[in-house]
Amino acid sequence: IPICGDPLHKEAAMLNELDAALSSEKRYHVSETIPDNDNKPVEPAMEPAYKILIADDHPLFREAISSVIATGFAGSEILETADLDSALEITRENDDLDLILLDLNMPGMHGLNGLITLRNEAPTIPVVIVSAEEDKQVVLQAITYGACGFITKSSPRAQMTDAIQQILNGNVYLPSDIIRTGKEHTHR
């Protein structure tokens, strides 16, 4: 004989109450009219399209990063340039850019000075350094000078896509393998 304080008795009472509530809810829903959605076109869920500038003096790398963006961010508009001066010009003409991917060692950059120039020219557009450089100090300096991220050119496609997505979401991206290991290379 179950006692009122018995957990099994309480559980059975709760189940009965839940069952009663659900059956009255079912009766309520049966009387509702169901809208006819059969003849309406279903809109496909669209990922947001972005406008991204790739500034790198190596055509093969620009093609590779364009492929990463086209695959990972379908519908995005991709602009390309090979030097800092034309990157600045494109930035002036396209104030709706969502992201700039900037090579650290292309013509006109003069190291991180090009980043500073670009950040002064377009302070609201996120800039990411994309470089073969793997010196921890350079990575940290780039962030200090206003980059929103640093992606190494040796990054696998999936990691590069993830890095770009993080930055487009408003986060800063740093290559964890470099930051953790403390790799500091002497300049060649």
Side-chain angles (χ1 to χ4, degrees), residues 121-182:
E121 189 76 31
T124 61
I125 302 170
V127 178
V128 178
I129 297 295
V130 181
S131 178
E133 183 65 60
E134 294 190 6
D135 183 336
K136 181 179 177 179
Q137 288 310 115
V138 173
V139 172
L140 295 175
Q141 273 187 317
I143 300 302
T144 302
Y145 293 156
C148 296
F150 196 104
I151 301 171
T152 57
K153 288 184 175 181
S154 61
S155 299
R157 177 183 279 268
Q159 184 180 358
M160 197 170 279
T161 303
D162 181 54
I164 293 168
Q165 184 63 65
Q166 284 187 40
I167 293 157
L168 288 168
N169 289 344
N171 300 311
V172 172
Y173 178 83
L174 295 172
S176 60
D177 52 332
I178 293 173
I179 299 303
R180 279 194 206 123
T181 61

Side-chain angles (χ1 to χ4, degrees), residues 40-88:
K40 295 180 184 171
V42 176
E43 303 263 338
M46 292 291 292
E47 288 185 33
Y50 298 103
K51 191 170 187 179
I52 299 173
L53 171 61
I54 302 169
D56 193 297
D57 59 328
H58 293 99
L60 191 59
F61 185 74
R62 284 197 312 269
E63 187 178 317
I65 194 82
S66 290
S67 172
V68 169
I69 292 166
T71 303
F73 307 94
S76 293
E77 182 180 349
I78 301 168
L79 306 172
E80 296 182 21
T81 186
D83 59 65
L84 182 63
D85 289 339
S86 56
L88 289 166

Side-chain angles (χ1 to χ4, degrees), residues 18-130:
L18 183 61
D19 187 45
L22 287 175
S23 60
S24 67
E25 190 176 307
K26 286 178 192 167
R27 280 193 296 268
Y28 173 75
H29 286 299
V30 168
S31 65
E32 285 183 358
T33 58
I34 299 171
D36 177 23
N37 290 329
D38 291 341
N39 297 328
K40 295 180 184 171
V42 176
E43 303 263 338
M46 292 291 292
E47 288 185 33
Y50 298 103
K51 191 170 187 179
I52 299 173
L53 171 61
I54 302 169
D56 193 297
D57 59 328
H58 293 99
L60 191 59
F61 185 74
R62 284 197 312 269
E63 187 178 317
I65 194 82
S66 290
S67 172
V68 169
I69 292 166
T71 303
F73 307 94
S76 293
E77 182 180 349
I78 301 168
L79 306 172
E80 296 182 21
T81 186
D83 59 65
L84 182 63
D85 289 339
S86 56
L88 289 166
E89 187 177 325
I90 290 170
T91 302
R92 284 184 208 108
E93 295 168 358
N94 296 275
D95 63 349
D96 60 340
L97 283 170
D98 293 299
L99 184 63
I100 300 171
L101 299 170
L102 187 66
D103 180 17
L104 190 59
N105 297 313
M106 70 178 180
M109 282 295 289
H110 307 291
L112 291 168
N113 289 328
L115 169 63
I116 294 167
T117 302
L118 190 56
R119 295 300 298 142
N120 287 334
E121 189 76 31
T124 61
I125 302 170
V127 178
V128 178
I129 297 295
V130 181

